[in-house]
Amino acid sequence: MKRYEQGEFFLEIEPRRCKGCGVCVQSCPKGVLVLNAEGKADAKEIAQCIFCGICEQRCPDFAISVHKVKVLQPSCV
Amino acid sequence: MPNTKELAHREELHKRFTGAHALCAGCGAPICVRTILNAIEEPVVVINATGCLEVATTRYPTTAWNIPWIHVAFENAAAVASGVETAYRVLRRRGKISQEIRFVAFGGDGGTYDIGLQALSGALERGHRFIYVCYDNEAYMNTGNQRSGATPFAAQTSTAPVGEKSFGKPQRRKDLTEIVAAHHIPYVAQASISDWYDLARKARKAAAVDGPAFLNVLSTCPRGWGHPTDQSVKIARLAVETCYWPLYEIIEGRWVLNYIPEEKLPITEWLRPQKRFAHLFEPQNRELLRQIQQQVDEEWEKLLRKCERYEAL
Ligand SMILES: Cc1ncc(C[n+]2csc(CCOP(=O)(O)OP(=O)(O)O)c2C)c(N)n1
Ligand code: SF4
Ligand code: SF4
Ligand code: SF4
Ligand SMILES: [Mg+2]
């Protein structure tokens, strides 16, 4: 599992699930993604990512996902 | 940026259809399914005709579907949907179900343009409230790329070969979207896997109408079309940019165009990257190319005349 963090969001790519179809690459509005030498999705320009979730919604194989870091609040009890 | 609530809701819609299915890399079918199911807010029951989508997502003992899913046969997805929808309506009337449920049938072009057309026509005419989605990959792909009523003129398939005496399919494809529109149902649309936002909006509109809705979605098949598996979105996009596959909808009988290319690309741009059209670029087939361009131009002009409005999504 590859993880790319930026601020409170992160992008996760699971290469074992990725079939290298490039759907995420061609759907990303910010040109963040590429297919690497192994033909798998990689976040080359993570600084450009706006975490819109389009890649996640489009990937036919559930290999890429957008997450928000959960900040644990101190209990008020 | 999405907020946490949106992400959580997305997560829930996400679980309707999952990965680990055996559809090829670059197959348009799962893209079509995900975009549509992610766009519909209400609980969904899926009815699936036989075809790649059905076969490759339900390899015993596994399934890629986490929602109620029914498969009966190749030819009767619309008839099955009619039955399920009718039972639901009766149960609602009797107060046994209170939930709003949407019924979505998925069929390939073989299962929709050809063998399932009678069942579809009946269901549309009876007015069942369901969404029928044809993921149109322009041939019977699951059984090895046989030509269908959706296969374009001059495309090579296993049953429309290219040789000394043949140049691929000698007939033109039928216009199913228009056939469906002739049933006077409330919502009909043509979409492509390349334009996900347009497709998602159309799925949402289809789910909102009180009656039958139909979506004809151009869906890539790298195996049958013969293009690189990592180019599907671009290839499908070229079908739209050349006006081979225009994006439009018919709302209560009114035709609405959803996309006009800034510069209409020549049809060769769509044909060239696909091996099923490779023979058309041989010098002796120049006339076929001219004919194809003429067909596309005529159909586009005809569509422009029918459309009352232009509403980009
Ligand atoms: C009555 C019947 N005839 C033939 C078949 C064999 N068959 C299974 S899938 C298929 C092709 C489906 O083509 P299409 O609907 O275009 O879907 P695709 O596989 O292209 O996604 C055929 C011919 C069948 N299952 N039932
Ligand atoms: S869409 Fe999914 S399977 Fe396709 S290249 Fe991207 S991560 Fe891999
Ligand atoms: S979240 Fe959006 S911007 Fe980021 S990689 Fe995915 S599609 Fe591109
Ligand atoms: S053969 Fe074509 S339609 Fe069937 S799974 Fe592969 S890409 Fe999809
Ligand atoms: Mg097909």
Side-chain angles (χ1 to χ4, degrees), chain A residues 19 26 56 58-60 62, chain B residues 14 17 21 23 34 193 230:
Chain A
K19 288 180 184 163
Q26 287 155 47
E56 173 175 354
R58 299 271 281 158
C59 173
F62 293 72
Chain B
H14 251 14
F17 177 80
H21 51 69
L23 292 155
R34 289 211 62 192
I193 59 128
D230 62 356

Side-chain angles (χ1 to χ4, degrees), chain B residues 224-239:
Chain B
W225 294 8
H227 63 78
T229 52
D230 62 356
Q231 295 298 311
S232 290
V233 174
K234 281 188 191 155
I235 300 271
R237 185 87 205 130
L238 284 170

Side-chain angles (χ1 to χ4, degrees), chain B residues 22-30 52-53 56 135 137 141-142 220-224:
Chain B
L23 292 155
C24 305
C27 180
C52 272
L53 177 66
Y135 68 97
N137 53 29
M141 293 308 182
N142 192 247
T220 49
C221 172
R223 273 197 73 80

Side-chain angles (χ1 to χ4, degrees), chain B residues 9 20 58 61 69 78 105 128 130 135 144 161 175 184 192 197 202 221 229 241 257-258 268 278 281-282 304:
Chain B
H9 183 59
T58 55
W69 177 93
H128 295 281
F130 78 120
Y135 68 97
D175 190 342
H184 309 295
S192 162
Y197 188 62
K202 284 171 177 169
C221 172
T229 52
E241 293 292 343
L257 195 61
N258 306 126
T268 45
F281 293 91
E282 284 163 19
L304 288 178

Side-chain angles (χ1 to χ4, degrees), chain A residues 18-24 35 41 59-60 63-64:
Chain A
C18 175
K19 288 180 184 163
C21 67
V23 168
C24 56
L35 292 183
C59 173
I64 185 164

Side-chain angles (χ1 to χ4, degrees), chain B residues 108-110 135-141:
Chain B
D109 51 291
Y135 68 97
D136 183 356
N137 53 29
E138 307 199 309
Y140 294 75
M141 293 308 182

